RNA sequence: GCCCGAGUGGCGGAAUGGCAGACGCGGAGGUCUCAAAAACCUUUAUCCUCUGGAUGUGUGGGUUCAACUCCCACCUCGGGCACCA
């Protein structure tokens, strides 16, 4: 037999698989889902449980890169492995094809976004096929196809009808480079997530999805996601940012300092510190500020601070130590707990879009308020002190305010005892403390306060002033207001002839936006904004379950049968954006009545990046290793196995050419060894025989090697199975290498002295175990070397007997006081007493006749003798 | 500041509390060859007074018969959030 040649066998089998439709999922007969197994998975009448593997679909910007190869190889291994284990596996692929890069590329190439996008999709599709991924190509979803975005518009309208869509004016993030607004999640370090330009804040009327209505559930359900990495859940929890506390209403005084009927409400997490509130703060852009100061002596200074705040970019405001600027407005509010009249200031450290835009300042308990008070000479009375604090003894029973200032260098925001706090003095204060609760209770009797929860999460801004996206199906009518496009008129088709090279958008196209009102028939204007591309990627995994449906985005019975996704695989960069939005979509569509589960992805694997010399590969750095070039030299199987072998999947991987050659050698050895096990000899290009027999081997030695091989056979099947279950692909490949090393010793035995049945069994196991990772060579060996019928990928995963993985004789380490002093070989069935006496015997020279205090026996591993 | 992760040979990395360094890369030596490549075999944590012994998983403590693994404190690196009241 000739040596391994990937370039002959890889195209050959890819063609065979395509013609056999080997990768298409058996469409579940959803009407006849008969039972659910113990894990809750649905089963079809053929009794195969469903398994849905999904990898994050690519954005078609150029050809596939190493990150894709890694992502999709992991998914492919899981899919093939699960299929061999008897699951009905859904493993689809598609393209997330709307978005800015297509517009930029079109401008650069004097073309259209569609031309560029679809050319890249074709290129990527070919590459994915060349990589041998087992996708069900009949289920491809492309988000820029009208038969997909149609249903995105339909879902938009369903959410609108349910009150989850809102058009409102609010301060939003504007990217001056991309010429569009951005969602909060798309602002990274104060810059645009795509082009890094510093974003500007603008007050604009835009479309929002009310994701905040699900803030609590999105947070709570993170606890259900046992199959998600802790770090992703933590990031989402941080982003949602739940704070418990209270809303407290302060009565506003008029310009003569007399109480009015109006109140201003603040949010605080520390109602227990209310007695220490000595001033009150409004955000510079707070709507009340202008009315307070206009025409007064305070107007000039307030105006100066407002201008100072608005000129600071988001980047500056979010970096480093900030000098706190403020100005007195001339007005006062009444502290509801003690009737104190406290001055209203404005300050740039108060954010209009968190809480109520107003803050009760407690300088002794909050570092920012403390700094502000020091700068402007405001009082800092202590109200919660630690028992260890020097002030504790002095103030512990003091109810009225005696001490108006502290000598502390900084505020104390920990828990402690309430002092100078009237009837609450002596109570435990702190976040969510009894004292805090008592203050809330007291205020709530007079309706001046109530317990409440605040979230950091903002509503999702989904409108974009860009052409290459899904048109928002809304119409503005002078008489009827904003009305949805009727379902029967969907999809609102994105015209293909908008010339982005001339800066055109939908807003430059009267033939697009001039429409009749669907309600009253009057002349009306169609919305020309498109949806954020993340709306498209928030439900594509649902469409895969029913991709050709012409009357619904998906049939509920199909989506409910397949979903949730059993295993989702993708990059950590989507920890917040895509994964949070998808969770929101799932919950919202559940409430619309389209599906019956709460979370879209049961298990999540966030794969690490592929780097070169510790740096991210990028075109601009010129350090890209193209998968195509690797495939040309080593073939697809070597690339796949290499990328799995070099690091655990969730860790970053540093590319090394030497490592790859090692894997290529391994695959060549598999080839030779499988043929050798069948008794056939592999020859190299010059016809030299590559098998070397060791003629010194006698029958006893052959028997010994056979026993060893049988043991490794059982042990390695067990190990590979367990490792793939845990996604430890690197160690599962190591285990196959170990089996191969044992095989190498076995095939030194001249053919006439071998156990043919054992050899055949081992050869089959090698091929079956490696098949999910190196599908082409294994298919070739299965049919050509082993002469088996049918595809290796449709075989059952090999079984093993744990009992046979154990040697008859085992070597134990013998420790004395935890240090290894000797080794003994005992029968694996030896009793503990036998093991003990053998162990004691072996260390006699070290311990003499000293009595052992204690002997610990770990079966088949070691013995520890304590003297 | 708050919250997560991670620190193991020359390198990538293995180890349910039970023989640290599996497996691979790289290195050294050898077989085959006129020679080389390929292949195969042996060897490869560090140190020492070297048929043996000591040390060793970021640092310092602790729990345990036994700790890379568990606990406490700290250091370094990576990531998320952050004038969030």
């Amino acid at each position: 037999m000739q040596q391994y040649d990937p370039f002959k066998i890889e195209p050959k089998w890819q063609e065979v698989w395509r013609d056999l439709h080997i990768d298409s999922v058996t469409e579940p007969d959803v009407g006849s889902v008969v039972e659910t197994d113990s894990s809750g998975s649905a089963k079809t009448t053929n009794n195969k449980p469903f398994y849905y593997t999904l990898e994050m679909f690519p954005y078609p910007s150029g050809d596939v890169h190493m990150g894709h190869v890694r992502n999709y190889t992991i998914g492919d291994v899981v899919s093939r492995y699960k299929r061999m284990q008897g699951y009905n596996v859904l493993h689809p692929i598609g393209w997330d094809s709307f978005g800015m890069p297509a517009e930029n590329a079109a401008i650069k190439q004097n073309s259209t976004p569609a031309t560029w996008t679809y050319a890249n999709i074709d290129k990527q599709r070919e590459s994915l096929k060349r990589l041998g991924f087992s996708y069900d190509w009949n289920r491809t979803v492309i988000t820029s196809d009208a038969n997909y975005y149609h249903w995105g518009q339909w879902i938009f309208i369903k959410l609108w009808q349910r009150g989850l869509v809102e058009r409102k004016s609010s301060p939003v993030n504007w990217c001056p480079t991309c010429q569009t607004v951005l969602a909060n999640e798309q602002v990274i370090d104060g810059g645009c997530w795509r082009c890094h330009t510093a974003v500007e804040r603008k007050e604009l009327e835009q479309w929002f999805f009310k994701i905040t209505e699900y803030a609590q559930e999105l947070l709570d359900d993170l606890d259900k996601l046992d199959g998600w990495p802790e770090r992703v859940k933590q990031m989402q929890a941080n982003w949602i940012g739940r704070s418990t506390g209270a809303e407290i209403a302060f009565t506003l005084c008029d310009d003569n300092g007399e109480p009015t009927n109006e109140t201003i409400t603040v949010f605080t997490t520390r109602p227990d510190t209310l007695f220490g509130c000595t001033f009150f703060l409004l955000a510079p852009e707070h709507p009340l500020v202008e009315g307070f100061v206009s025409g007064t002596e305070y107007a000039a200074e307030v105006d100066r601070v407002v201008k100072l705040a608005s000129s600071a970019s988001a980047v500056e405001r979010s970096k480093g130590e900030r000098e706190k600027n403020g100005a007195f407005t001339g007005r006062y509010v009444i502290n509801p707990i003690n009737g104190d009249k406290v001055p209203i200031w404005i300050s740039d450290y108060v954010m209009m879009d968190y809480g109520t835009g107003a803050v009760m300042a407690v300088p002794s308990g909050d570092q920012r308020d403390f700094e502000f008070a020091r700068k402007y000479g405001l009082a800092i009375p202590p109200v919660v002190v630690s028992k260890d604090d020097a002030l504790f003894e002095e103030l512990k029973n003091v109810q009225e305010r005696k001490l108006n200032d502290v000598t502390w260098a900084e505020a104390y925001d920990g828990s402690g005892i309430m002092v100078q706090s009237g009837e609450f003095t002596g109570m435990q204060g702190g976040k969510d403390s009894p004292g805090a609760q008592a203050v809330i209770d007291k205020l709530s009797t007079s309706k001046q306060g109530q317990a409440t929860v605040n979230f950091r999460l903002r509503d999702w801004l989904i409108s974009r002033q860009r052409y290459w996206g899904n048109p928002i199906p809304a119409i503005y009518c002078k008489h009827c207001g904003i009305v949805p496009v009727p379902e029967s008129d969907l999809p609102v088709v994105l015209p293909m002839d908008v010339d982005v090279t001339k800066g055109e958008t939908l807003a430059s196209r009267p033939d697009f936006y001039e429409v009749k009102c669907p309600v009253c028939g009057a002349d009306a204007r169609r919305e020309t904004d498109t949806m954020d591309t993340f709306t498209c990627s928030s439900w594509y995994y649902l469409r895969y379950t029913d991709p050709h449906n012409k009357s619904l985005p998906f049939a509920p019975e199909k989506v409910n049968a397949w979903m949730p996704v059993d295993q989702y695989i993708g990059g950590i960069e989507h920890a917040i954006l895509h994964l949070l939005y998808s969770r929101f979509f799932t919950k919202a569509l559940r409430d619309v009545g389209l599906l019956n589960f709460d979370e879209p992805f049961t298990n999540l694997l966030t794969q690490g990046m592929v780097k070169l010399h510790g740096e991210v590969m990028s075109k601009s750095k010129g350090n890209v290793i193209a998968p195509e070039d690797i495939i040309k030299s080593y073939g697809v199987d070597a690339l796949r196995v290499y990328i799995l072998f070099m690091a655990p999947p969730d860790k970053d991987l540093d590319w090394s050419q030497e490592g790859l050659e090692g894997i290529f050698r391994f695959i060549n050895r598999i080839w030779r060894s499988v043929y050798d096990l069948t008794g056939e000899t592999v020859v190299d290009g010059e016809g030299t025989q590559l098998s070397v027999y060791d003629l010194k081997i006698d029958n006893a030695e052959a028997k010994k090697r056979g026993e060893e091989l049988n043991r490794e056979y059982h042990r390695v099947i067990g190990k590979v199975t367990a490792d793939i279950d845990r996604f430890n692909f690197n160690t599962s490949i190591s285990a196959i290498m170990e089996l191969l090393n044992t095989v190498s010793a076995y095939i030194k035995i001249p053919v006439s002295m071998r156990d043919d049945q054992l050899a055949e069994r081992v050869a089959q196991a090698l091929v079956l175990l490696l098949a999910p990772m190196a599908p082409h060579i294994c298919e070739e060996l299965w049919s050509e070397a082993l002469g088996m019928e049918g595809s290796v990928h449709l075989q059952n995963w090999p079984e093993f007997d744990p009992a046979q993985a154990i040697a008859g004789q085992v070597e134990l380490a013998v420790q004395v006081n935890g240090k290894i002093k000797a080794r003994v070989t005992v029968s694996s069935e030896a009793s503990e007493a036998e093991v003990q006496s053998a162990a004691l015997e072996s260390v006699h020279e070290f311990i003499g006749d000293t009595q052992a205090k204690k002997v610990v026996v770990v079966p088949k591993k070691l013995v520890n003798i304590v003297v």
Side-chain angles (χ1 to χ4, degrees):
Chain A
M1 181 45 59
Q2 287 297 311
Q3 280 180 291
Y4 168 60
D5 180 359
F7 311 107
K8 261 191 202 151
I9 64 174
E10 287 174 357
K12 170 177 133 190
W13 287 110
Q14 284 172 8
E15 206 169 306
V16 171
W17 295 334
R18 193 192 60 213
D19 293 344
L20 291 176
H21 298 291
I22 193 174
D23 299 317
S24 306
V25 68
T26 316
E27 178 71 53
D29 183 2
V30 290
S32 63
V33 170
V34 285
E35 53 179 310
T36 52
D37 68 9
S38 55
S39 67
S41 320
K43 287 183 177 180
T44 50
T45 42
N46 68 8
N47 208 32
K48 281 189 174 182
F50 295 174
Y51 194 93
Y52 187 174
T53 324
L54 180 67
E55 300 113 55
M56 291 180 183
F57 64 167
Y59 185 85
S61 59
D63 205 347
V64 295
H65 53 67
M66 280 299 176
H68 291 128
V69 174
R70 192 175 193 195
N71 192 171
Y72 302 150
T73 300
I74 294 167
D76 198 47
V77 172
V78 173
S79 301
R80 290 177 185 274
Y81 171 68
K82 288 290 174 185
R83 191 159 60 192
M84 290 174 82
Q85 286 197 322
Y87 288 87
N88 198 20
V89 175
L90 172 56
H91 185 216
I93 190 73
W95 280 274
D96 184 14
S97 49
F98 271 139
M100 280 288 299
E103 293 193 39
N104 294 337
I107 292 165
K108 215 170 177 179
Q109 300 175 0
N110 198 26
S111 172
T112 71
T115 311
W116 181 82
T117 299
Y118 284 91
N120 283 337
I121 289 175
D122 288 343
K123 198 189 300 175
Q124 291 195 348
R125 188 190 289 111
E126 283 319 300
S127 295
L128 295 177
K129 288 184 172 175
R130 178 71 188 88
L131 281 152
F133 298 133
S134 61
Y135 294 122
D136 185 343
W137 290 101
N138 297 320
R139 288 174 181 259
T140 306
V141 162
I142 297 174
T143 61
S144 55
D145 283 356
N147 64 21
Y148 179 77
Y149 70 68
H150 175 164
W151 300 107
Q153 294 173 6
W154 187 90
I155 288 169
F156 178 94
I157 287 166
K158 292 293 162 193
L159 298 186
W160 193 353
Q161 288 163 351
R162 208 182 149 82
L164 293 171
V165 173
E166 188 178 23
R167 190 170 164 83
K168 67 181 175 189
S169 183
S170 113
V172 298
N173 307 297
W174 171 265
C175 173
T177 303
C178 298
Q179 289 284 301
T180 184
V181 296
L182 299 168
N184 277 11
E185 290 78 7
Q186 292 162 348
V187 179
I188 312 292
D189 290 335
C192 171
W193 68 295
R194 211 171 248 146
C195 67
H196 310 297
T197 310
V199 301
E200 296 167 4
R201 295 291 275 179
K202 278 192 175 182
E203 182 80 18
L204 289 173
E205 192 171 305
Q206 294 291 321
W207 291 94
F208 291 85
F209 280 163
K210 289 161 106 177
I211 191 171
T212 54
E213 300 221 337
Y214 289 86
Q216 187 67 55
E217 194 192 341
L218 287 166
L219 183 67
D220 290 344
D221 284 359
L222 289 173
D223 289 339
K224 292 185 190 167
L225 298 173
D226 295 331
W228 280 40
E230 201 50 48
R231 128 176 116 128
V232 174
K233 290 193 276 187
Q234 197 64 48
M235 282 163 72
Q236 292 216 353
N238 280 347
W239 188 262
I240 295 166
R242 181 180 195 267
S243 299
T244 54
E247 279 181 348
I248 298 174
F250 285 65
T251 300
L252 178 64
C253 296
D254 62 21
D255 48 8
N256 297 316
E258 297 304 319
T260 66
N261 293 329
E262 289 172 61
T263 60
I264 309 179
T265 300
V266 299
F267 171 75
T268 179
T269 57
R270 292 296 301 276
D272 56 306
T273 64
L274 186 49
F275 282 87
C277 171
T278 51
F279 54 101
F280 191 92
L281 291 166
L282 294 176
E285 59 269 52
H286 196 288
L288 289 173
V289 174
E290 172 70 25
F292 286 175
V293 300
S294 96
T296 72
E297 59 189 292
Y298 307 104
E301 182 60 11
V302 165
D303 190 49
R304 192 184 71 84
V305 172
V306 170
K307 288 219 168 78
L308 207 61
S310 67
S311 70
S313 74
V315 180
E316 288 166 42
R317 279 176 85 167
S318 70
K319 265 191 190 144
E321 286 289 298
R322 279 136 299 215
E323 174 75 18
K324 289 160 183 50
N325 298 297
F328 178 46
T329 62
R331 292 288 199 106
Y332 292 84
V333 285
I334 309 281
N335 184 337
I337 201 78
N338 58 9
D340 276 4
K341 197 192 264 188
V342 297
I344 303 175
W345 288 62
I346 65 161
S347 179
D348 46 12
Y349 72 88
V350 178
M351 307 284 117
M352 192 57 221
D353 56 3
Y354 182 76
T356 60
V359 171
M360 60 174 237
V362 182
S364 64
D366 180 282
Q367 186 57 24
R368 295 155 299 169
D369 298 344
F370 184 90
E371 287 167 24
F372 191 86
R374 279 280 152 86
K375 178 169 178 181
Y376 293 104
L378 296 155
I380 310 179
V383 286
V384 173
V385 294
S386 160
K387 279 183 179 164
D388 306 329
D389 195 279
L391 290 173
F392 178 68
E393 281 306 314
E394 181 190 345
L395 292 173
K396 64 180 178 185
N397 294 315
V398 177
Q399 297 200 352
E400 295 304 311
R401 186 179 298 170
K402 179 176 103 177
L403 182 65
N404 220 11
D405 214 333
V406 290
T407 53
W408 299 342
E410 54 187 30
Y412 177 69
D413 62 5
S415 54
I417 303 300
M418 292 170 70
V419 298
Q420 306 198 107
S421 296
E423 64 193 275
F424 303 94
T425 300
M427 292 190 77
Q428 178 73 34
K431 246 185 142 290
D432 301 320
S433 62
Q437 189 56 50
V439 170
I440 295 170
D441 290 345
K442 165 95 185 214
L443 292 173
S444 62
T445 58
S446 57
K447 301 241 175 345
Q448 291 175 100
Q450 58 177 350
T452 186
V453 173
N454 214 346
F455 291 96
R456 212 192 67 98
L457 183 69
R458 304 289 86 197
D459 277 334
W460 175 12
L461 197 176
I462 57 121
S463 44
R464 297 289 179 273
Q465 292 68 54
R466 304 299 319 182
Y467 155 67
W468 188 238
N470 190 1
I472 292 174
I475 290 167
Y476 300 90
C477 171
K478 280 194 284 286
H479 316 288
C480 309
I482 308 176
V483 297
V485 173
E487 275 180 43
S488 55
D489 290 354
L490 296 181
V492 174
V493 175
L494 186 71
M496 285 296 126
D497 54 352
V498 168
D499 191 349
V500 293
T501 65
K502 294 200 176 75
E504 284 185 13
T505 67
L506 293 177
S508 4
R509 293 291 296 264
D511 60 327
F512 176 82
Y513 63 71
E514 285 177 356
V515 290
K516 300 289 181 202
C517 171
V519 178
C520 69
D523 284 346
R525 186 174 196 280
R526 184 148 61 185
E527 175 61 80
T528 55
D529 280 2
T530 53
M531 286 186 235
D532 181 4
T533 54
F534 280 91
T535 63
C536 300
S537 56
S538 293
W539 69 280
Y540 74 107
Y541 50 92
L542 303 172
R543 180 71 176 175
Y544 283 141
T545 67
D546 192 11
H548 308 296
N549 198 318
K550 289 193 163 57
S551 54
L552 281 172
F554 42 81
E557 65 271 20
K558 291 197 180 183
V559 85
N560 291 334
W562 279 112
M563 288 290 295
V565 170
D566 292 280
Q567 185 63 52
Y568 198 24
I569 305 154
I572 186 72
E573 66 273 19
H574 294 292
I576 294 171
L577 285 159
H578 163 62
L579 291 169
L580 188 67
Y581 294 150
S582 294
R583 295 181 61 221
F584 160 67
F585 256 65
T586 298
K587 291 171 190 302
L589 292 175
R590 174 200 61 197
D591 292 342
V592 167
L594 284 165
L595 43 83
N596 68 3
F597 45 92
D598 301 322
E599 285 288 338
F601 313 123
T602 306
N603 296 294
L604 173 69
L605 176 68
T606 48
Q607 111 252 0
M609 279 189 285
V610 182
K611 297 183 169 182
L612 187 65
H613 308 307
E615 289 196 312
V616 181
M617 292 187 193
S618 74
K619 278 182 201 157
S620 55
K621 283 192 192 135
N623 61 349
V624 175
I625 304 281
E628 196 189 336
D629 295 339
I630 301 304
I631 293 168
K632 268 186 208 148
S633 312
Y634 299 94
V636 163
D637 285 337
L639 173 59
R640 293 172 51 126
V641 174
Y642 171 68
I643 214 156
L644 293 168
F645 178 69
M646 284 307 282
D650 55 336
K651 279 204 181 174
D652 286 352
L653 176 157
D654 208 43
W655 186 265
S656 124
Q657 200 73 13
E658 290 81 23
L660 177 62
E661 293 193 10
I663 288 298
F664 189 65
R665 279 202 287 272
F666 162 66
I667 290 184
N668 274 283
R669 279 181 69 204
I670 288 278
W671 177 271
R672 283 197 308 272
S673 301
V674 169
Y675 272 106
D676 266 337
L677 284 169
T678 67
E680 192 169 347
T681 299
V682 175
V683 296
D684 69 12
E686 292 159 15
T688 310
Q689 190 172 310
L690 291 171
S691 306
V692 185
Y693 302 122
D694 185 347
L695 297 172
K696 283 181 298 206
I697 292 173
D698 58 16
N699 275 315
E701 176 66 18
K703 184 163 178 279
K704 198 180 129 213
R705 291 193 186 190
E707 284 166 1
E708 173 67 20
L709 182 59
N710 181 56
R711 223 170 15 247
E712 275 293 275
Y713 164 86
H714 289 284
R715 186 188 70 84
V716 166
I717 293 173
K719 168 93 173 135
V720 172
T721 307
D723 282 351
I724 295 183
D725 282 337
R726 293 183 298 160
F727 302 126
N728 290 351
F729 307 111
N730 53 335
T731 53
S732 66
I733 293 165
S734 295
I736 296 172
M737 288 172 171
E738 285 166 339
L739 178 57
L740 187 62
N741 288 344
T742 312
V743 166
S744 293
Y746 193 75
I747 58 185
K748 295 279 180 310
I749 303 173
V751 176
S752 63
M753 294 167 80
R754 292 185 197 167
D755 175 344
D756 292 341
Q757 284 189 342
L758 172 67
E760 191 183 355
R761 190 155 48 88
V762 171
Q764 288 180 11
L766 274 179
V767 172
L768 289 167
L769 292 175
L770 195 61
M773 307 182 221
H776 308 88
I777 183 178
C778 292
E779 190 75 300
E780 174 78 10
L781 290 171
W782 186 253
S783 101
E784 301 304 315
L786 300 172
M788 303 297 286
E789 294 287 319
S791 170
V792 70
H793 303 294
L794 300 178
Q795 304 306 311
N796 290 331
W797 189 249
E799 309 227 333
F800 71 105
D801 176 2
Q804 293 201 52
I806 297 155
Q809 299 280 304
V810 288
E811 192 187 59
L812 305 183
V814 183
Q815 298 178 324
V816 175
N817 292 338
K819 299 233 176 223
I820 292 167
K821 292 290 178 187
R823 287 168 192 286
V824 286
T825 302
V826 298
S827 157
S828 61
E829 267 125 48
S831 69
E832 188 160 324
E834 288 170 315
V835 172
Q836 269 202 29
S837 68
L840 283 166
E841 177 67 21
S842 72
V843 293
H844 188 260
E845 56 171 308
F846 299 102
I847 61 173
D849 292 327
T850 320
Q851 267 300 335
K853 267 195 229 160
K854 189 174 180 183
V855 179
V856 181
V857 176
V858 182
K860 300 180 183 74
K861 295 237 161 97
L862 60 72
V863 181
N864 191 11
I865 295 161
V866 189
V867 294

